[in-house]
Amino acid sequence: EPEVTQTPSHQVTQMGQEVILRCVPISNHLYFYWYRQILGQKVEFLVSFYNNEISEKSEIFDDQFSVERPDGSNFTLKIRSTKLEDSAMYFCASSQSRNTIYFGEGSWLTVV
Amino acid sequence: GQQVMQIPQYQHVQEGEDFTTYCNSSTTLSNIQWYKQRPGGHPVFLIQLVKSGEVKKQKRLTFQFGEAKKNSSLHITATQTTDVGTYFCAGPEGGGADGLTFGKGTHLIIQP
């Protein structure tokens, strides 16, 4: 079964450093998303991306965050200057029709 | 903003007992989705409900969408140890938005 793949699975970074999380969505999907989940808490929407542009973003997705689809397969989330409170599991997801959303296994970010 | 509330937060059951989790939205939803997240895993799509009063079954799982499209429930009959995990409901952030607002989830713990 097709999967959303994410790298790295775990990253430890110093506060203030830039981090890029990478995702390869399912190949025929058109909608791409980033969600995050702070340990023990609910899944929170960050941003959705369609037709090579951001279609929606949440309040969490401030100027420190950016997304890119640099080529036909990768979808990246960049955090410019990480803060301690950015420590979380970041899930990439994709969907074909905005109905069923397939999540990747996540990238666990630890900011120290 | 839209809020999605789930109860209970935790549910301990003996294997073989039934389990129900309830989801309530502060706004009318165009659809509601249910996800399961195993410990240490990622959310996995279970089902989407669209119609008022809709009931769908998947083997031992029964999903309902309320008549007012503001509440939903997931019922598991005769739980098994493989049912362990957190069950999240999620609805569109607003209108026909792309992003999902997740509930805090119900953690199902099964005692053999």
Side-chain angles (χ1 to χ4, degrees):
Chain A
E1 187 175 310
E3 289 183 336
V4 175
T5 56
Q6 289 185 244
T7 55
S9 57
H10 189 189
Q11 180 154 355
V12 181
T13 191
Q14 294 229 331
M15 194 167 54
Q17 294 294 306
E18 177 182 284
V19 159
I20 297 176
L21 305 178
R22 292 182 166 82
C23 169
V24 179
I26 295 172
S27 62
N28 63 344
H29 284 187
L30 302 175
Y31 299 86
F32 314 114
Y33 311 86
W34 284 100
Y35 285 81
R36 79 171 185 191
Q37 187 176 31
I38 294 169
L39 186 63
Q41 297 189 23
K42 67 176 182 177
V43 178
E44 297 175 294
F45 170 72
L46 294 178
V47 66
S48 59
F49 193 88
Y50 171 72
N51 203 24
N52 287 320
E53 61 183 20
I54 290 174
S55 53
E56 187 189 353
K57 59 184 180 179
S58 72
E59 291 174 354
I60 303 168
F61 194 88
D62 61 22
D63 292 342
Q64 294 292 334
F65 292 89
S66 62
V67 289
E68 247 189 352
R69 189 157 159 80
D71 52 44
S73 59
N74 290 288
F75 180 49
T76 62
L77 174 69
K78 182 192 290 186
I79 308 174
R80 251 178 281 285
S81 177
T82 49
K83 302 182 282 244
L84 294 176
E85 53 265 37
D86 293 328
S87 295
M89 179 73 88
Y90 288 82
F91 291 109
C92 176
S94 70
S95 67
Q96 195 172 39
S97 59
R98 295 168 67 188
N99 290 333
T100 307
I101 297 181
Y102 294 86
F103 283 79
E105 295 195 353
S107 293
W108 183 248
L109 176 64
T110 303
V111 182
V112 297
Chain B
Q2 176 182 286
Q3 293 183 27
V4 176
M5 294 146 287
Q6 266 186 271
I7 55 169
Q9 188 176 357
Y10 292 91
Q11 183 78 60
H12 291 77
V13 300
Q14 295 279 341
E15 188 177 5
E17 290 182 340
D18 293 357
F19 158 78
T20 305
T21 172
Y22 300 91
C23 179
N24 284 285
S25 168
S26 58
T27 59
T28 301
L29 300 170
S30 58
N31 69 83
I32 193 158
Q33 301 180 24
W34 285 91
Y35 291 80
K36 176 183 178 181
Q37 185 176 28
R38 291 183 186 276
H42 60 283
V44 175
F45 175 84
L46 294 176
I47 208 158
Q48 177 180 303
L49 303 170
V50 178
K51 297 177 188 173
S52 168
E54 189 170 13
V55 178
K56 284 189 177 179
K57 292 193 175 188
Q58 288 178 353
K59 298 183 181 177
R60 294 177 294 104
L61 278 61
T62 302
F63 303 85
Q64 288 190 314
F65 200 12
E67 293 290 340
K69 300 182 77 171
K70 293 180 74 171
N71 61 288
S72 180
S73 65
L74 158 59
H75 179 82
I76 303 178
T77 304
T79 53
Q80 300 174 358
T81 53
T82 52
D83 296 327
V84 163
T86 303
Y87 292 84
F88 293 97
C89 63
E93 285 258 310
D98 294 333
L100 292 173
T101 299
F102 279 75
K104 289 188 176 181
T106 296
H107 302 262
L108 174 60
I109 298 123
I110 297 176
Q111 292 150 346

